[in-house]
Every structure is written in C-alpha cells, then in structure tokens.
Amino acid sequence: DVKVTQSSRYLVKRTGEKVFLECVQDMDHENMFWYRQDPGLGLRLIYFSYDVKMKEKGDIPEGYSVSREKKERFSLILESASTNQTSMYLCASSLGLAGRSWTQYFGPGTRLLVL
Amino acid sequence: GDSVTQMEGPVTLSEEAFLTINCTYTATGYPSLFWYVQYPGEGLQLLLKATKADDKGSNKGFEATYRKETTSFHLEKGSVQVSDSAVYFCALSRWTNAGKSTFGDGTTLTVKP
C-alpha cells in the first residue's frame, strides 16, 4: 500500500514564525501536491510538483513556498505565518504521467493553528 | 476550465437507506473520474474510479458509472451503514493537465442508526 506521511498531525505556531510542513511518500511517485482544506471552501491546491526540483503554483500559492530536493519528500513552507493560514493542510502524491495513473494518495493531514 | 459540481449537503439518512450523491463535471477530452472519501480526522482516500465512458467503478458496496452523454458520475449505495458517515468528494483528472485533480466541494453524509 502507498503510504503518505506528514510530519505533524497538529501544530500551533505564532504569527510571523517560519513554519515547515513535511510530507514523505514511499512509492516512488512522480507527482506530489499540497492542499489546504477549509470549511465551505473544499480542497484548494497550493503547489504541485511533478519531479524533483520542479514545482508549479496552484490556485492559492500566496504566502507559501515549497521544496522538493528528493523524490519522496515535498515540503511546504510558510515564510511568515499569519492567522489566515490557520487550516488543515493535506499532502498527496500520484504515480503521474509515466504510470498513466492520476489516483491521488493522501496523508492524514496537519491541522495548523496560527495564533 | 475544468469544474466538478456535486450535490450540496449535508445529507442525513437512516441506516439501510439508499444513497445517491450527484456529481456532474465540465472538462475537455476524456478525464478520469474519482470518488474519494474522508472519514473524520483523516485524509482523503480513494473510494472508486472510472477511466473511460460507460465504465463502472465499485468498492465497498458503492458504485458510480461514467456517463459521457450527461457528464455525470453519480455515487450510489443500496444500503448505507453508520460507518459510511463521512465526507465524499467527486474529482476529475486529465493527462493534459499533468494529472492535477479538480475536486468538488464535498458532500457530508451522516447515517443514523
């Protein structure tokens, strides 16, 4: 089974702090994704990566950056956390173009509270 | 652009009732269609999928048929259980969009004993 793990289930940070959310997948997937999930707004794509060091902005990239130095790891960075970034953050991966499979496998999520 | 519209919730049913959650989509070409389920406190997981017109995806008693003519992928289950209480997301992906998915807003299902 594909496993996607996220570094924390719950995180509390202060406004202005730099925050790192880590995601690791163990199935050699090409694609990795970061979403945020808010009540009434569904899932919104923050960033997408289709290969090591390759990234593409999603629908709401402002205030976020990402890093993918190794294929299995995709990090989301909040450069200066703000209260409006309080949310549930979901990481996902998929096999991608090589495998012709778009099924996404999700981690358990990180619930971030910014005070 | 691509879009997915699913029936608004929340939906509340009694155990053993019939479930339908409607999903329609707008996309160019031939997208793959998915239903994902999110149980409380967890991430999403794939429930079922279909990759071409008239395909039927099925899993755990749930079914959905890819209808190209009506651009729909409605989720059905003949007899729901309390354990089916969750949020259900309809989604599509296209290879020409690098496999990024477009998700519906989710439908919350509560099943009462």
Side-chain angles (χ1 to χ4, degrees):
Chain A
D1 276 355
V2 176
K3 190 158 187 188
V4 179
T5 56
Q6 296 184 228
S7 49
S8 305
R9 292 299 300 269
Y10 301 94
L11 214 49
V12 180
K13 296 292 180 181
R14 296 283 178 189
T15 302
E17 278 193 75
K18 191 168 186 175
V19 181
F20 293 87
L21 302 182
E22 304 283 336
C23 175
V24 177
Q25 50 93 5
D26 67 357
M27 285 300 290
D28 202 36
H29 282 179
E30 288 183 356
N31 293 348
M32 296 189 76
F33 308 82
W34 274 107
Y35 297 92
R36 64 178 282 178
Q37 184 178 24
D38 300 288
L41 296 176
L43 265 70
R44 292 181 290 169
L45 181 65
I46 305 171
Y47 266 98
F48 161 58
S49 171
Y50 50 92
D51 201 349
V52 175
K53 298 189 188 293
M54 306 305 286
K55 61 186 178 186
E56 190 176 301
K57 290 179 180 178
D59 301 318
I60 52 162
E62 297 78 20
Y64 303 94
S65 61
V66 290
S67 172
R68 194 167 179 201
E69 297 295 319
K70 293 185 178 181
K71 192 173 186 179
E72 67 271 18
R73 188 179 299 269
F74 192 35
S75 303
L76 179 69
I77 303 150
L78 286 66
E79 295 290 341
S80 177
S82 64
T83 55
N84 63 12
Q85 292 178 310
T86 291
S87 187
M88 168 73 97
Y89 289 87
L90 292 168
C91 176
S93 70
S94 69
L95 199 52
L97 192 58
R100 301 284 295 190
S101 173
W102 314 126
T103 301
Q104 292 193 18
Y105 296 85
F106 285 81
T110 295
R111 192 167 289 282
L112 173 66
L113 173 62
V114 182
L115 300 174
Chain B
D2 297 345
S3 68
V4 174
T5 303
Q6 48 179 118
M7 137 185 195
E8 285 189 27
V11 174
T12 302
L13 295 173
S14 297
E15 208 164 21
E16 299 183 3
F18 184 85
L19 169 71
T20 300
I21 301 177
N22 290 338
C23 171
T24 57
Y25 68 90
T26 302
T28 54
Y30 297 88
S32 295
L33 301 175
F34 304 83
W35 278 101
Y36 290 90
V37 59
Q38 185 178 32
Y39 297 104
E42 298 182 12
L44 281 70
Q45 57 186 269
L46 178 69
L47 180 59
L48 53 84
K49 68 178 182 181
T51 56
K52 59 183 188 296
D54 299 325
D55 265 3
K56 178 185 279 189
S58 61
N59 186 25
K60 299 181 182 179
F62 291 89
E63 293 183 340
T65 301
Y66 189 145
R67 300 285 187 203
K68 183 89 175 143
E69 64 277 12
T70 54
T71 62
S72 65
F73 193 54
H74 304 320
L75 183 68
E76 296 182 336
K77 187 175 186 184
S79 175
V80 293
Q81 306 300 312
V82 172
S83 57
D84 293 326
S85 297
V87 183
Y88 292 82
F89 292 88
C90 185
L92 68 83
S93 292
R94 293 187 290 113
W95 75 270
T96 50
N97 198 22
K100 286 180 286 187
S101 291
T102 300
F103 289 87
D105 289 340
T107 301
T108 300
L109 170 67
T110 302
V111 180
K112 299 196 169 180

